[in-house]
Every structure is written in structure tokens, then in C-alpha cells.
Amino acid sequence: MSENSNDSRRDFVKTAALAAAVLAAKDAGFPAIAKGASPMILSPLPWADNALEPFISKNTISFHYGKHHKTYVDTLNGLVAGKPEADLDLVSIVKGAAGKADKTAIFNSAAQAWNHTFYWNSLRPKGDAKMPKEIAGKIEASFGGGYEGFKKEFSDAAMGQFGSGWAWLVADGGKLKVVKTPNAENPLTTAATPLLTLDVWEHAYYLDYQNRRKDYVAAVVDNLLNWDFAAKNLPKG
Ligand code: FE2
């Protein structure tokens, strides 16, 4: 067999393994990228690119997913090529690079690759329609004013994040909390478990809402949050 044939076969085996990993991860709820899935792949969107209209347009999704998210994945693959990180899963890369001055570029691309896949899965058409009772109970127990209290705290975090960043609903110490992070930072580097996120980088809303972040936040919180996804992310036990 020629060297080229071997390369082709290796590529085929790798592609088939990646496809299987994606399918398995989809079944598990969140398409976490499987260990050894290098190069990292751009996780598929969980809905059609126009499914979030009229709140988030197909045009925004095409740039946000097809350009911004893709660039984070492509940049990460370039940065880790030939390095130990190339054999790690995405979460391990994020945790391993966090806080290390010589790994800032890897951290930023890996965290943004992970954050965006988590964000797509945090949204769904008509997301506010129902909430599984296990998460509804925790919302009631964790926020003064119940769901309205959560909405206010989450929206305030999204509005209060100065510049680029993220608002998160997390589970921490048996309760739910809202946190915000700047730039690529995320709760994976803390003891908290992320349940939902909202991207408040300008690229997430500028085409649809220009500078009106408040309108984007309200549209998402009132219409698009995926509570089934949040419930699946709750720590077991
Ligand atoms: Fe983004």
C-alpha cells in the first residue's frame, strides 16, 4: 500500500471515529468533544440556522457560527497541532491551559470553542415554553422571587458584564447561581457546574440589535432558553 493510501485510510478512520463521537455525544445531550477527537471539529448546530427567528436572525447565526465559532475551532487546531493538547478533550484543554501565561492563546480559543457549543445548546426555538420540574424547583429554592428573580439576576449579569463576555446559570454547592465572566472565561475553571449561558459579545447581537444589548438579552431570556438542556446539566445526586 502506498504512503498516500495509508494517509487516506488514516484520514478515513479518523473521520469515522469523529462522526461516531459526535453522534454518541449528541445522544448524551451536550456534544462534548470526545477524548482524542483531534483535530477538534466544529460541533453541529442543534437546530436550523433560521430556527431562532425572529429573535436571532439567520444572518447573525451564519456569521456567529460559521465565522466566529469556526475560527475559534480552526485557531485551536493550529495552536495544538503536534502538542500534548492535541490528544486531550476540549474540557481538559480548557482546564489545563487556564491561568497559564504561556497558554493564553490556547485557553482563549479552546474556551471560546467550548463556550459557543454550550451557548447553541442553551438556546432553542420556543425555549421558554416549559421547564422540567427538577430545575423549576431549584430555581424556586435558589432565587428570591422564583423565576422572576432568576430572570432579573440573569439579565442584570448579562447587562452588567462590561465589554465582551458571558452570563451563566450554574449549580454550585447544591444551589443555582448566576455568574458572569469576561472574554473567554467560563465556570469550567471553578467548582461550579454550568447549566446555561448567554453570549454577550457584540458579535452575538449587533447585526440584529446594534447597540441594544438589553433588547437581545430580553428576547433570549423570554423566548429561547433551553431548560431541558439546563436540567440535563444538573449535577447528579
Ligand atoms: Fe460569540
Side-chain angles (χ1 to χ4, degrees):
M1 191 179 276
S2 72
E3 184 136 338
N4 277 349
S5 300
N6 278 332
D7 285 349
S8 299
R9 183 173 151 66
R10 263 198 302 275
D11 287 348
F12 172 78
V13 168
K14 202 171 205 178
T15 302
L18 284 173
V22 169
L23 285 174
K26 267 189 117 175
D27 287 346
F30 175 58
I33 293 176
K35 185 174 176 61
S38 177
M40 297 295 167
I41 53 165
L42 181 63
S43 302
L45 287 172
W47 20 253
D49 57 4
N50 63 352
L52 305 183
E53 292 186 339
F55 310 109
I56 299 177
S57 68
K58 176 177 177 175
N59 194 30
T60 288
I61 297 298
S62 75
F63 279 95
H64 197 177
Y65 174 71
K67 303 290 184 189
H68 291 277
H69 191 183
K70 182 177 187 303
T71 297
Y72 293 125
V73 174
D74 290 346
T75 303
L76 177 64
N77 282 327
L79 289 169
V80 303
K83 296 186 177 164
E85 285 91 346
D87 293 323
L88 298 178
D89 65 276
L90 191 54
V91 170
S92 298
I93 296 175
V94 171
K95 290 181 175 178
K100 298 197 173 107
D102 60 335
K103 299 206 182 266
T104 301
I106 288 177
F107 174 82
N108 285 339
S109 291
Q112 284 293 78
W114 189 89
N115 291 350
H116 280 86
T117 300
F118 200 83
Y119 170 61
W120 307 131
N121 283 274
S122 294
L123 308 179
R124 70 175 176 194
K126 297 191 169 56
D128 198 32
K130 66 183 175 71
M131 185 183 286
K133 66 176 186 298
E134 64 266 37
I135 197 126
K138 289 208 176 283
I139 292 272
E140 284 297 322
S142 302
F143 296 97
Y147 185 64
E148 289 304 313
F150 153 76
K151 271 174 64 169
K152 180 173 184 345
E153 213 172 300
F154 192 72
S155 302
D156 286 351
M159 288 304 297
Q161 172 54 44
F162 182 75
S164 298
W166 302 81
W168 305 84
L169 175 66
V170 301
D172 190 7
K175 293 200 101 178
L176 306 191
K177 295 177 183 169
V178 165
V179 297
K180 59 188 182 194
T181 59
N183 302 314
E185 302 282 335
N186 65 40
L188 291 176
T189 58
T190 72
T193 302
L195 306 181
L196 284 179
T197 195
L198 178 58
D199 187 343
V200 293
W201 285 58
E202 282 189 347
H203 65 225
Y205 59 88
Y206 215 83
L207 293 176
D208 294 332
Y209 297 90
Q210 292 77 53
N211 61 328
R212 303 188 311 277
R213 183 191 288 191
K214 189 172 184 180
D215 292 349
Y216 157 72
V217 170
V220 171
V221 171
D222 287 342
N223 300 287
L224 298 178
L225 292 181
N226 184 347
W227 289 107
D228 284 335
F229 179 63
K232 279 181 192 157
N233 291 325
L234 280 172
K236 306 293 176 252

